[in-house]
């Protein structure tokens, strides 16, 4: 039965009746309001009727201080008391209204006065702490905005603290805040039945009521996604939706509206292995992935993972990628960042990496290792990126209940990919580099880092404002991440990526020396008193010499550790960031996460400088890349040849080193163009080899060798469109 009047209308009726029945023509109407929640309504109605309005702020006696001359409503926000005789004259000559918000609300249902008495008692019987919530519900429902409620709907909201939908209340809150009184619980049960939850018909126990309601809602969503409802018990078969408009399963509707924190809590309810709602049906379902858009049953979640794992072991990696991405998107949309979501997100990375490792040799001419690795769109650098992302994504299965099948399988997948198959890939890639070098003309026609200043002379000497960001140990995939970051943050700029060949050996002193102003023909590397030395114009390039040459060429020279704000005012700036190499050398266990943080920081710096300055052109350059080994690996420490004059972890140099030395020999026959005719360098290509007694034996991070990860570089050019 719907209400017929609003609270303001009932207040008006009460005041008008009191005035009409008063002996005086201009009476005082005294309104007693236990709780004081009707003040605004009574005041507004009083003014609309042409009455003055006065309220007692502290004590009713305040009203006697201002004798009324016209029609007046005196409002007292407390219950009437028989021992208060201050207003006997008002009672005799004026009118009295004794109505709190509960009593006035009951008058709104004039066609069902007997049942409406429950509204008054609901307000009177509730504890002081909950009375405000009841009053708020009554006001919101009966203030005339948005139509008038039914008595049943209003009773529901009072019982459920303002919630209007008993089904969604139980689905979200469970037994929390359900009424203790049996009569009220049965009222909620009957409302659930009226809303289609036949499974709770006759239930009198609170826990059973909650369990069956949730079980019914999960069934409703499964049917929505395609489950044959005849598989369900009759009382759990949802009714067919009818009428116009969008009709969604109750749980779907609920989860689309709750805040993220609440959604996370509900993930633990509806994906809890101890609450597998339809296990008997789902464990034998032919294709659980038909139901993958339903995110609310642990049994379904487990079956999806087991099916995904079987497909992975069968080598169906593209299917695994698509399915994991679908499930991730559904769970992320529903629950946000929870362990179940993170596991599927990592499953995407696992499947992608497995596919990359399976198919990398199919990408083109495997004799052109620079193009194979360094193609910006399709190069195998993406394998390193996938390994990197997989490692920094951690071990999300640890946040899952132990019963989830991913807790027993995901770690094995990660380990197999990053500590076995990835190493096989690195070894095969190293063999390709060796074959290309031994063929006599490696990397023909490629961009060489030592030619950078010469090849870009038109732009560097044109008078344009130019910024160089030289990042130590910026591997190809990390440079791509920086390029993507600039694209996102500064979409008005044009960002291009190009593969360049770094200087061999791929160590810092040679890589940075190559990126120093000067003609491409003036750069060379030679042995000087047993030390391999990089030179420009016949002079050794030290840090001091590099700084001097840049400054002589008109550049501001800024190191990462310096606070040189004034240097950025120059139109030609060279900024050096050395933190990646340092972090890799010092952090031997968790440097991927450290690198991720560092890349974000250098990205912020680059975007800030490009956004603040009117730069015509900027370059992000690298001196060398690096190889990252798995955490659990046995390194092969080999002895350097006796002829070696200088020995490092990944290369040896001398004048008498021959082709029998470990690794691949770089000499005049390699035609690199910058090695002295008498200088010979043997560089390691095997990823697990290193020369003995050179540095820490268990380091995961290294460079200086001849794997593409170490010397194929990604140079990023940023210009204004």
């Amino acid at each position: 039965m719907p209400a017929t009047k609003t609270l303001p209308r009932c207040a008006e009726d009460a005041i008008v009746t009191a005035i009409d029945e008063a002996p005086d023509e201009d009476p005082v109407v005294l309104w007693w309001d236990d709780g004081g929640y009707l003040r605004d309504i009574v005041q507004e109605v009083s003014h609309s009727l042409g009455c003055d309005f006065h309220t007692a702020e502290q004590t009713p006696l305040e009203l006697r201080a201002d004798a009324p001359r016209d029609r007046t409503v005196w409002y007292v926000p407390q219950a009437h008391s028989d021992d208060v005789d201050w207003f006997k004259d008002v009672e005799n000559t004026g009118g009295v209204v004794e109505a709190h918000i509960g009593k006035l609300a009951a008058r709104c249902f004039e066609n069902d006065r007997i049942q409406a008495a429950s509204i008054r008692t609901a307000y009177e019987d509730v504890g002081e702490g909950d009375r405000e919530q009841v009053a708020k519900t009554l006001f919101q429902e009966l203030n005339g905005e948005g139509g008038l409620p039914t008595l049943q709907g209003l009773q529901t909201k009072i019982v459920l603290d303002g919630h209007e939908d008993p089904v969604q209340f139980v689905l979200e809150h469970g037994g929390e805040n359900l009424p203790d009184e049996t009569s009220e619980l049965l009222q909620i049960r009957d409302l659930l039945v009226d809303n289609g939850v036949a499974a709770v018909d006759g239930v009198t126990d609170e826990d059973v009521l909650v369990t069956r309601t949730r079980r019914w809602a999960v069934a409703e969503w499964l049917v929505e996604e395609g489950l044959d409802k005849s598989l369900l018990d009759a009382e759990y078969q949802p009714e067919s939706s009818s009428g116009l408009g969008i009709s969604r399963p109750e749980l779907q509707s609920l989860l689309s509206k709750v805040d993220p924190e609440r959604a996370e809590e509900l993930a633990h309810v509806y994906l809890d292995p101890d609450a597998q709602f339809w296990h008997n049906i789902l464990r034998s379902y032919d294709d659980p992935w038909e139901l993958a858009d339903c995110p609310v049953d642990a049994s379904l979640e487990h079956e999806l993972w087991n099916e995904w794992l079987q497909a992975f072991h069968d080598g169906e990696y593209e299917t695994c990628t698509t399915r994991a991405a679908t499930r991730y998107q559904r769970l992320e949309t529903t629950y946000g960042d929870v362990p179940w979501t993170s596991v599927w997100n990592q499953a995407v990375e696992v499947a992608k990496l497995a596919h990359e490792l399976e198919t990398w040799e199919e990408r083109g001419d495997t004799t052109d290792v620079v193009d194979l690795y360094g193609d910006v769109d399709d190069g195998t650098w993406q394998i390193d990126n996938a390994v990197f992302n997989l490692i920094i994504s951690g071990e999300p299965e640890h946040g899952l209940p132990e019963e989830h099948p991913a807790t027993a399988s995901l770690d094995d997948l990660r380990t197999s990919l990053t500590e076995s198959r990835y190493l096989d890939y690195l070894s095969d890639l190293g063999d390709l580099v060796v074959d290309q070098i031994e063929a006599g003309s490696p990397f023909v026609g490629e961009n060489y880092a030592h030619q950078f200043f010469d090849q870009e002379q038109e732009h560097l000497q044109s008078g344009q404002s130019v910024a160089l960001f030289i990042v130590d140990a910026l591997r190809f995939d990390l440079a791509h991440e920086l390029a993507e970051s600039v694209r996102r943050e500064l979409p008005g700029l044009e960002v291009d990526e190009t593969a360049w060949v770094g200087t061999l050996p791929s160590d810092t002193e040679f890589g940075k020396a190559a990126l120093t102003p000067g003609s491409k023909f003036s750069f060379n590397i030679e042995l000087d008193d047993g030390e391999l030395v990089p030179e420009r114009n016949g002079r050794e390039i030290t840090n001091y010499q590099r700084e001097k040459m840049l400054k002589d060429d008109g550049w501001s020279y800024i190191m990462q550790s310096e606070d040189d704000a004034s240097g950025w005012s120059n139109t030609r700036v060279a900024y050096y960031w050395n933190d990646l190499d340092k972090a890799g050398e010092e952090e031997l266990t968790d440097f991927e996460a450290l690198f991720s943080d560092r890349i974000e920081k250098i990205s912020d710096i680059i975007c800030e400088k490009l956004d603040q300055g009117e730069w015509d052109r900027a370059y992000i350059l690298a001196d060398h890349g690096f190889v990252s080994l798995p955490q659990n690996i046995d390194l092969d420490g080999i002895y350097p040849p006796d002829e070696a004059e200088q020995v490092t972890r990944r290369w040896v140099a001398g004048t008498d080193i021959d082709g029998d030395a470990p690794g691949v020999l770089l000499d005049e026959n390699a035609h690199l163009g910058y090695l002295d005719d008498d200088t010979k360098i043997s560089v390691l290509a095997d990823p697990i080899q290193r020369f003995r007694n050179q540095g820490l034996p268990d380091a995961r991070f290294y460079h200086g060798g001849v794997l593409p990860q170490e010397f194929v570089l990604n140079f990023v050019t940023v210009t204004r469109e």
Side-chain angles (χ1 to χ4, degrees), residues 47 267 336 344 516 598 628 670:
H47 289 158
W344 284 110
T516 303
R598 298 298 195 273
S628 52

Side-chain angles (χ1 to χ4, degrees), residues 537-666:
N537 301 325
R539 300 182 62 183
E540 180 181 357
I541 302 298
T542 63
N543 288 338
Y544 170 77
Q545 286 291 337
R546 180 168 57 254
E547 179 178 358
K548 184 177 185 303
M549 293 181 74
L550 281 165
K551 288 182 176 179
D552 289 346
D553 203 38
W555 295 85
S556 286
Y557 183 91
I558 303 175
M559 295 293 292
Q560 164 204 350
S561 57
E562 298 174 355
D563 183 15
D564 191 353
S566 61
W568 287 99
S569 61
N570 195 355
T571 57
R572 287 150 61 85
V573 174
Y575 177 84
Y576 285 80
W577 175 280
N578 299 323
D579 202 30
L580 289 182
D581 202 355
K582 180 180 178 182
E585 296 286 356
E586 295 180 357
E587 176 55 61
L588 305 182
T589 57
D590 194 28
F591 66 79
E592 286 90 354
L594 202 63
F595 272 22
S596 182
D597 176 68
R598 298 298 195 273
I599 290 298
E600 184 177 344
K601 288 183 178 178
I602 186 62
S603 171
D604 291 343
I605 292 172
I606 291 173
C607 290
E608 176 189 355
K609 297 304 180 184
L610 293 181
D611 193 34
Q612 289 180 349
E614 293 296 325
W615 303 101
D616 298 306
R617 182 174 287 256
Y619 298 92
I620 304 173
L621 311 176
D623 52 356
H624 60 80
F626 63 90
V627 175
S628 52
L629 288 180
Q631 293 191 23
N632 302 309
I633 190 69
D634 292 327
L635 289 172
D636 183 12
I638 61 176
Y639 288 98
D642 295 336
E643 299 81 10
E645 298 178 44
Q646 183 176 1
V647 181
T648 72
R649 285 183 293 181
R650 295 285 288 167
W651 56 268
V652 298
T655 56
D656 297 323
I657 296 176
D658 58 32
D660 292 331
V664 61
L665 190 64
L666 302 178

Side-chain angles (χ1 to χ4, degrees), residues 40 84 93 106 109 190 201 208 244-245 310 346 381 412 416 442 466-467 591 598 606 633 638 649:
D40 292 342
V84 177
T93 62
F109 296 87
D190 293 342
D201 193 12
V208 175
L244 301 175
Q310 183 59 54
Q346 189 174 93
W381 62 267
D412 289 341
S416 172
V466 179
F591 66 79
R598 298 298 195 273
I606 291 173
I633 190 69
I638 61 176
R649 285 183 293 181

Side-chain angles (χ1 to χ4, degrees), residues 273-432:
D274 291 333
Q276 297 185 38
F277 297 98
W278 293 105
H279 179 65
N280 290 336
I281 291 175
L282 295 174
R283 69 177 177 177
S284 58
Y285 199 78
D286 288 341
D287 184 7
W289 279 97
E290 292 178 351
L291 309 174
D293 210 36
C294 178
V296 289
D297 194 304
S299 294
L300 176 61
E301 175 73 4
H302 294 183
E303 292 303 317
L304 291 177
W305 183 267
N306 288 331
E307 288 279 337
W308 180 89
L309 188 62
Q310 183 59 54
F312 184 89
H313 290 317
D314 291 341
E316 300 172 8
Y317 303 128
E318 292 181 285
T319 297
C320 288
T321 300
T322 302
R323 286 182 168 180
T326 298
R327 188 61 175 174
Y328 164 74
Q329 186 62 43
R330 166 38 94 191
L331 294 180
E332 197 278 333
T333 301
T334 305
Y335 302 117
D337 185 16
V338 297
W340 291 270
T341 302
S342 301
V343 161
W344 284 110
N345 192 31
Q346 189 174 93
V348 174
E349 300 297 333
V350 165
K352 282 182 178 180
L353 177 56
H355 179 69
E356 298 272 359
L357 290 168
E358 183 79 9
T359 62
W360 69 271
E361 290 181 304
E362 303 171 5
R363 300 188 182 201
D365 183 3
T366 54
T367 62
D368 185 352
V369 73
V370 175
D371 185 63
L372 175 69
Y373 181 81
D375 184 285
V376 173
D377 296 319
D378 299 314
T380 64
W381 62 267
Q382 295 176 90
I383 293 178
D384 301 296
N385 194 48
V387 170
F388 187 88
N389 289 334
L390 185 56
I391 292 174
I392 64 175
S393 63
E395 300 172 336
E397 71 276 11
H398 288 178
L400 290 173
E402 187 177 350
E403 296 86 350
H404 194 292
T407 61
S409 54
L410 189 53
D411 183 58
D412 289 341
L413 298 184
R414 282 194 307 266
T415 301
S416 172
L417 291 171
T418 62
E419 298 187 7
S420 177
R421 294 174 65 180
Y422 181 55
L423 276 179
D424 292 340
Y425 155 74
L426 290 177
S427 180
D428 291 342
L429 201 57
D431 291 342
L432 287 176

Side-chain angles (χ1 to χ4, degrees), residues 2-15 31 38 41-42 44-45 48 100-111 137-149 154:
T4 56
K5 294 181 180 180
T6 65
L7 286 171
R9 176 62 187 278
C10 289
E12 180 180 333
D13 289 348
I15 294 174
W31 190 303
L38 291 174
I41 291 177
V42 175
E44 184 176 347
V45 169
S48 70
H100 51 61
I101 193 170
K103 187 174 182 180
L104 195 65
R107 297 181 185 180
C108 295
F109 296 87
E110 57 185 356
N111 293 333
T137 299
L138 294 175
F139 178 81
Q140 288 177 339
E141 294 299 302
L142 294 168
N143 63 7
E145 298 178 7
L148 292 171
L154 184 57

